[in-house]
Amino acid sequence: MQALLTAIARMDLPATEAERLFHGRGGLFPGCEHWTLDWLAPVCLLTSFQAVPDEELATVQAALSARWAQLAPGQALNLVFQTRNEGRAETRLLAGSVPEPHVVNESGARYRVHVLKGQNHGLFLDMAEGRRWVREHVAARTRVKVLNLFAYTCAFSVVALQAGARQVLNLDMSQGALAIGQQNHQLNGLSSGASFMAHDIFTTWGKINRIGPYDLIIVDPPSYQKGSFVATKDYARLMRRLPDLLMPGGHALLCLNAPELGLAFLQEQMQELAPGLSFVERVANPAAFADVSAQRSLKVLVYRAPDLAPA
């Protein structure tokens, strides 16, 4: 726990941007592998991925309170704590309050989050560089049509439209997540260009094909979600579809957050199932999410379809 306490003692006043302040999950701080600390202004979100004794939690809370008193005298510390253990999550408000609605900022975009319920809070901070890549990729092109699979709350769609995309199809099984995604578009003044389909991707290929082809396909599935998607058997089903869905010269952004599956899991299957698509690059993860293993950390890979052959 000492590395977390040291990081808190050295913490600067967080900026207005959403960010990770401490990433024990990367394995760089022995004994703190279960701890993370995020800033979702104006709230600190402390998470433990295992049960912790009350006295240990009290020590961390006291350290945060003391540092906050130094950084922001007279301002209340808003602190939420979540324990994730054996597939269950328990969330508590330890200090202060949480605004409702709770809206955070990242690189010129605004997103609604909900830190007091559920394990996923509406915005995955580790995907910040993926969103930056999409913004820059779309901005460098004209009239881009985007397919956003496993769209969740549609952050990729927001940045794509802000960058000038002409159309984004957001598809996710969760109507609730897409409803928040629609709110995110409204928060950013995006009143047109996006469509939302609450469907099982694997039973919706006909509609997806009719709307396509696409200049950019974003694939950001859960690594394991019973009854929905299991990466080890379902990712291949997506890869097979990519060549037919992409425009000539189009790109695919393939994402996977599964520590047990390395780069080879994606690259070898792509070589077998979509050999016409060429590997372009791996998008770097945010510095705050540094990991002892590049194989274990979040994978965000870019592939490109061949250009149209000359007549």
Side-chain angles (χ1 to χ4, degrees):
M1 186 176 64
Q2 186 55 48
L4 172 60
L5 297 177
T6 300
I8 291 170
R10 297 174 177 173
M11 183 175 72
D12 294 326
L13 185 66
T16 57
E17 298 273 298
E19 61 178 318
R20 175 144 295 184
L21 302 176
F22 181 80
H23 185 60
R25 300 286 283 172
L28 293 172
F29 307 103
C32 289
E33 292 85 354
H34 55 293
W35 287 109
T36 64
L37 179 63
D38 295 320
W39 174 245
L40 298 166
V43 179
C44 282
L45 174 63
L46 178 68
T47 305
S48 173
F49 288 79
Q50 68 183 42
V52 294
D54 288 343
E55 57 269 23
E56 186 172 332
L57 176 59
T59 299
V60 177
Q61 182 177 353
L64 277 167
S65 297
R67 184 58 177 159
W68 192 256
Q70 295 173 336
L71 295 173
Q75 295 184 31
L77 170 67
N78 301 315
L79 177 60
V80 172
F81 173 62
Q82 183 175 94
T83 306
R84 300 188 193 180
N85 190 34
E86 297 180 350
R88 297 187 300 272
E90 178 189 349
T91 306
R92 286 184 276 166
L93 177 63
L94 295 183
S97 60
V98 175
E100 179 56 39
H102 186 181
V103 176
V104 299
N105 302 298
E106 181 194 79
S107 300
R110 306 176 72 213
Y111 305 101
R112 184 164 185 176
V113 295
H114 41 274
V115 297
L116 290 175
K117 60 180 181 180
Q119 294 191 30
N120 299 325
H121 305 298
L123 183 68
F124 292 112
L125 300 183
D126 58 352
M127 194 55 76
E129 287 299 304
R131 289 186 286 272
R132 179 198 57 78
W133 183 91
V134 167
R135 185 186 295 277
E136 294 179 355
H137 178 84
V138 172
R141 290 157 176 80
T142 58
R143 297 185 57 77
V144 173
K145 181 189 288 187
V146 181
L147 173 61
N148 187 19
L149 299 177
F150 306 96
Y152 187 43
T153 57
C154 307
F156 278 121
S157 179
V158 167
V159 298
L161 289 170
Q162 285 184 329
R166 67 182 171 98
Q167 183 179 354
V168 183
L169 171 59
N170 296 289
L171 203 147
D172 197 283
M173 284 185 66
S174 171
Q175 180 66 63
L178 289 179
I180 296 173
Q182 290 173 297
Q183 293 176 25
N184 285 335
H185 285 76
Q186 294 164 7
L187 280 170
N188 290 281
L190 301 169
S191 58
S192 63
S195 55
F196 307 86
M197 293 174 57
H199 294 289
D200 181 345
I201 289 167
F202 296 112
T203 62
T204 315
W205 291 120
K207 292 181 180 179
I208 293 173
N209 275 294
R210 285 194 294 274
I211 297 172
Y214 305 90
D215 302 287
L216 173 62
I217 299 176
I218 301 165
V219 185
D220 186 18
S223 60
Y224 183 90
Q225 192 171 84
K226 189 175 181 180
S228 171
F229 189 89
V230 178
T232 50
K233 69 181 183 69
D234 290 326
Y235 220 125
R237 301 166 67 189
L238 299 173
M239 293 172 175
R240 290 189 183 97
R241 299 278 183 171
L242 293 176
D244 294 332
L245 291 170
L246 280 170
M247 292 279 286
H251 289 73
L253 189 73
L254 306 185
C255 311
L256 180 64
N257 194 359
E260 70 279 8
L261 300 173
L263 282 172
F265 171 79
L266 291 175
Q267 291 179 320
E268 291 177 2
Q269 288 193 97
M270 281 295 288
Q271 181 62 39
E272 175 187 353
L273 302 172
L277 273 62
S278 57
F279 174 70
V280 178
E281 64 175 316
R282 178 181 181 179
V283 178
N285 292 325
F289 287 82
D291 200 291
V292 294
S293 170
Q295 294 291 323
R296 195 184 73 167
S297 61
L298 171 67
K299 275 74 68 176
V300 182
L301 307 185
V302 181
Y303 281 82
R304 186 180 187 277
D307 293 322
L308 188 65

